[in-house]
Amino acid sequence: MSLTGHLLIGAADVPATEGTMKALNPATNTLIEPEFAFGGRAQVDQAATLADAAFDSYSHTSLAERAAFLESIADNLNAAREELAARAALETGLPQAQLEGEAARAATQFRQFAEVVRKGRFLQLAIDPAQPDRQPRPRMDHRLQKVAIGPVAIFGASNFPISYSVAGGDTASALAAGATVILKAHNAHPGASEIQARAIRKAVQMHGLHEGVFSMVRGGGNAIGEALVDHPLIKAVTFTGSEVGGMALYRRAQLRPDPIPVFTEMTSVNPTFILPEALEARGAEIGDGFVERMLVNVGQACLCPSILIAVEGEGLQALRSAMINRVSAAPARTMLTPGIHGSYVKGLEAMESVGANLVAVGAPADGQLEGRSALLEVDGQRLLSEPALAHEVFGPAALLVTVNDEEELLAVARSFKGQLSAAIHLEDRDLDLARRLLPILERRTGRIVVNAFAHPQEVTFATVHGGPFPATSDSRFTSVGMTSIERFLRPVAYQGFPDALLPEVLREGNPLGLPRSIDGQ
Ligand code: NAP
């Protein structure tokens, strides 16, 4: 496919109205063809008007039709997989083989959501039949289903250019819910974004759906994102990126005359606690495994563990040596964007300026945008007195925190803000301490992992990729996994309806054979 650089608004290829950009190849720090169009408020309005016009018909597609549409997106992504991975590799500096895996994961997510749609459990159908003889007054027939929230705006993430971007989990779950989607493409990978958007548009056309089911816009600054969040026809927003950006959009949405939900996924250091018996038994192995996961995606993954807490004692030296060896041997690797590279370098300087000791660095960087891995160290008291040490440094860096005893380990755990995940490494004789640590972590994280690391992530019904602020802006929801669809649903109750007027999924006789609760059973 030859890239055109257009905005994809419904069925139209829309040329630039607000200037253009070229993609950057971060490995060579050079620009790549072609030019990509920037749009503005008028293009957001065009896309939102179409998304609104498409909403009624798309949100009422049958479950079978919608599932087949999602499967066609998966097929189209698979067909474009090699080209997509090659372009994404040029635009991100990430290995092509890894990106082919990411494309496969994205296609699989659409298939998984097709199954979710077919099974219909996400509709959470509930029927509380009429009780005409109930005293002191009769009860009407009540029936509930979940419906799509409306047209939604999705901000593609920079760090996974496929599985968290245009064809990522947010788009898959929103389309599965029956929402129409306007995707704000991330400027870090415009070509990969276009290939994915065309795969989705092709499926819209294959299934004869309204053209407004999916659009992709792009802009050269905050204006396009602000226009999306402000647009009165947009009913929810999802975002993955920085805390500053996410909170600016969140606050903006709350200032609308009609505030809307904004689901932001922002920042997490994914603290890892090594309990004393595990440290003694497996210190070197855990240190090695920790650094391996910290280096995934050049440290640019939301689940990369970046703070490790261990109690002084047997095994600490083995753990420290293993981490130093692994970090020292790590080659410098290309980071995603000049902005992310610059923030990484500044983040390391900031850590040192507030008392962290740099104990190991990786091989020196060749390219301008390569990130050199780093291991820093502090003691527990320093971390407790300097909250800035617990901030995320997005990149291949880790902070080893040594604490004097179990009480200090628990105090450090209490000092963390909201996290996507935390990990505990333990042996049987650590269970008493683990039982004390667990309630502290439950209050602060969306996921707790034992004797492993949170990355890589499965996409399942029990997956939680969320957590209290600042990990996300709404800890009640996950942005990955099958229940991420709930972000795009709201309940509607139907009272006293004649059967012929009810939505098919709620009719007597259960014509679609869907799971339904009757009087709570
Ligand atoms: P970002 O700067 O927050 O940008 C994400 C997206 O939101 C971009 O499309 C950006 O548009 C848009 N945006 C940001 N602020 C906006 C605002 N105030 N108004 C309107 N639109 C806005 O994130 P990034 O570019 O991906 O990376 C920057 C930093 O984010 C990283 O260094 C890292 O710290 C963090 N990050 C964290 C995660 C995670 O999962 N924890 C993932 C990715 C990034 P423009 O590009 O046009 O400005």
Side-chain angles (χ1 to χ4, degrees), residues 364-379:
D366 273 342
Q368 270 179 297
L369 299 183
E370 283 184 350
R372 187 178 192 184
S373 51
L375 176 64
L376 301 111
E377 191 171 359
V378 285
D379 61 32

Side-chain angles (χ1 to χ4, degrees), residues 285-437:
E285 184 193 324
I286 296 168
D288 198 57
F290 180 93
V291 176
E292 183 188 330
R293 299 309 164 94
M294 175 272 269
L295 293 173
V296 165
N297 230 42
V298 203
Q300 302 160 118
C302 28
L303 289 175
C304 282
S306 55
I307 298 191
L308 188 151
I309 304 102
V311 185
E312 288 278 2
E314 284 291 322
L316 184 64
Q317 204 41 50
L319 170 98
R320 188 187 276 123
S321 302
M323 293 181 80
I324 289 173
N325 291 342
R326 189 83 194 229
V327 165
S328 307
R333 284 169 55 204
T334 304
M335 298 191 75
L336 291 162
T337 66
I340 288 175
H341 178 262
S343 299
Y344 174 62
V345 172
K346 278 200 201 118
L348 289 180
E349 286 166 7
M351 296 277 278
E352 286 195 85
S353 74
V354 288
N357 297 316
L358 185 66
V359 291
V361 285
D366 273 342
Q368 270 179 297
L369 299 183
E370 283 184 350
R372 187 178 192 184
S373 51
L375 176 64
L376 301 111
E377 191 171 359
V378 285
D379 61 32
Q381 283 309 314
R382 185 76 206 160
L383 185 88
L384 290 170
S385 63
E386 186 49 81
L389 286 166
H391 286 177
E392 180 184 45
V393 176
F394 199 63
L399 180 67
L400 171 60
V401 181
T402 52
V403 293
N404 285 320
D405 51 31
E406 295 183 0
E407 293 312 315
E408 200 172 279
L409 179 135
L410 296 173
V412 166
R414 277 188 211 99
S415 74
F416 283 113
K417 291 183 180 173
Q419 303 290 330
L420 293 173
S421 77
I424 312 173
H425 290 264
L426 54 79
E427 295 285 308
D428 284 350
R429 281 182 297 161
D430 290 315
L431 284 176
D432 284 344
L433 176 57
R435 285 191 190 98
R436 295 177 68 201
L437 179 58

Side-chain angles (χ1 to χ4, degrees), residues 3 40 56 115 138 182 184 196 221 223 246 276 350 360 433 458 463:
L3 298 170
D56 282 341
E115 271 312 289
I182 305 178
K184 193 275 183 195
Q196 295 167 73
L433 176 57
E458 301 287 340
T463 297

Side-chain angles (χ1 to χ4, degrees), residues 155 158-159 184 186 221-222 239 241-242 245 248-249 265-266 302 394:
F155 285 70
S158 60
N159 55 336
K184 193 275 183 195
H186 200 289
N222 289 346
F239 167 96
S242 66
L249 296 171
E265 192 228 301
M266 300 175 290
C302 28
F394 199 63

